[in-house]
Amino acid sequence: MSDALQALLERLERIRALEAPDRLRERIEALDRLDALMPMDGEPALVRRGQALQARLEAANAAQYQAIRHAIRRGQGRAALQGWWRAGAAGEAACRSADAYDWLDELVGGVLPFEVPGEVGALAPEMVLYQPTPARQVFGLLDRLALDEADVLVDLGSGLGHVPLLTAICTRARGVGVEIEPAYVAGARRCAQDLQLANACFVQGDARDADFSTGSVFYLYTPFTGAILRSVLDALRREASRRAFRVCSFGPCTAALAAEPWLACDDAPAGGRVAVFHVPAPPSAQP
Ligand SMILES: C[S@@+](CC[C@H](N)C(=O)[O-])C[C@H]1O[C@@H](n2cnc3c(N)ncnc32)[C@H](O)[C@@H]1O
């Protein structure tokens, strides 16, 4: 273990300008490797060297996250995240497992000041536990959706609000989260408030009772199954008889959406990324 740590330290210490802003990905990946190799009982001098490097890299990341937060508050979040967003969209298909996390999740977790104020309660049967959509999937989806200021993306079962928050930061659309767990809603609202995001909002409640009349895009990362999913899909189908919109899904619920006759898939639902379906405009809504 000590040999591997020594080799890693030598390699990282040789990289010039590792603390520069454009080296964020390398720093995140270096910190991961250091975490894995730093032995609890290793040679003290080597461990001290590793800890000093860790502290330098973490300080550089913290300064960069802070700078991105300032840019978001000035309304320049998209530009500040642009390069990372593109890398995320490109990595969408490249990652081994669709729901695996990577360095982009570290970046988003570092930038967004998430905290869960209070206890999280138990969920009823058919309600799926919180797990955020991997950031590269969110960036890849936003890239494909090409939202504009007329769009409203509604995340049904929004957890801590990654999807509506990144929508509000990276596009001109409005991001809305509907979430049953009050502590997650409070955390998402705090985050939006801290980042001064006027175009992100969070509603606490059951998705079955959501207001389906405003969304131009609905997003579901398998938030519920069985009768709850059926009830939400029925509500969306009723809405689809009045107007056109898109529905996006990630995870196992995609199979249920693909079986809905009133939804057309924009591209064959691939396991590796978020599926995008659209509802054709009803004849009454056509000019
Ligand atoms: C798999 S997580 C998805 C989180 C978020 N959409 C994302 O992709 O980052 C599912 C979320 O749905 C919420 N949930 C489960 N049943 C719900 C319901 N009936 N109404 C609203 N939210 C629900 C859970 O509390 C959890 O936060």
Side-chain angles (χ1 to χ4, degrees):
M1 188 66 101
S2 281
D3 286 351
L5 179 59
Q6 174 133 16
L8 176 65
L9 288 173
E10 279 167 14
R11 197 170 61 70
L12 293 174
E13 286 163 356
R14 268 201 309 273
I15 301 177
R16 287 181 54 223
L18 191 54
E19 279 137 291
D22 63 344
R23 299 275 178 139
L24 177 63
R25 176 180 184 164
E26 281 156 282
R27 286 198 301 277
I28 291 173
E29 289 177 348
L31 281 165
D32 265 0
R33 266 178 254 128
L34 281 170
D35 264 353
L37 285 182
M38 290 281 279
M40 300 303 288
D41 55 353
E43 197 208 312
L46 207 54
V47 172
R48 276 199 301 279
R49 217 170 116 197
Q51 285 168 337
L53 181 60
Q54 266 179 330
R56 264 177 43 215
L57 300 184
E58 275 163 4
N61 288 359
Q64 194 162 354
Y65 298 150
Q66 176 82 324
I68 296 173
R69 278 196 292 276
H70 285 320
I72 293 171
R73 291 185 193 112
R74 290 194 308 272
Q76 292 162 1
R78 182 189 168 109
L81 286 169
Q82 184 90 9
W84 314 119
W85 165 344
R86 297 280 166 228
E92 201 186 17
C95 209
R96 266 166 301 156
S97 159
D99 57 2
Y101 297 106
D102 65 14
W103 62 278
L104 275 166
D105 298 287
E106 283 284 329
L107 163 62
V108 168
V111 170
L112 300 183
F114 285 127
E115 59 175 88
V116 183
E119 290 279 298
V120 172
L123 285 174
E126 298 187 336
M127 298 190 184
V128 177
L129 283 179
Y130 176 55
Q131 189 178 328
T133 302
R136 75 179 173 291
Q137 295 286 1
V138 183
F139 288 128
L141 175 66
L142 293 177
D143 216 34
R144 283 189 285 147
L145 289 175
L147 303 173
D148 64 26
E149 60 274 7
D151 280 300
V152 179
L153 184 148
V154 181
D155 183 2
L156 296 166
S158 51
L160 276 171
H162 289 65
V163 180
L165 290 165
L166 287 173
T167 300
I169 291 167
C170 296
T171 77
R172 291 207 214 103
R174 192 168 154 73
V176 178
V178 180
E179 168 59 48
I180 200 150
E181 170 52 56
Y184 293 151
V185 175
R189 283 180 182 154
R190 274 191 198 181
C191 194
Q193 194 176 16
D194 182 282
L195 295 174
Q196 297 167 16
L197 293 170
N199 57 339
C201 83
F202 295 92
V203 178
Q204 192 271 316
D206 192 312
R208 285 171 288 191
D209 306 324
D211 173 7
F212 293 94
S213 69
T214 55
S216 62
V217 178
F218 293 91
Y219 175 70
L220 298 99
Y221 176 16
T222 313
F224 24 72
T225 60
I228 305 181
L229 181 58
R230 184 68 266 150
S231 161
V232 168
L233 289 177
D234 287 346
L236 287 169
R237 182 177 41 77
R238 283 193 295 278
E239 191 62 27
S241 66
R242 292 188 276 272
R243 64 187 184 91
F245 53 83
R246 290 182 282 182
V247 185
C248 308
S249 67
F250 187 55
C253 76
T254 296
L257 271 73
E260 292 295 297
W262 52 278
L263 278 176
C265 195
D266 286 7
D267 40 17
R273 64 179 191 168
V274 178
V276 179
F277 299 85
H278 70 271
V279 175
S284 58
Q286 284 170 6

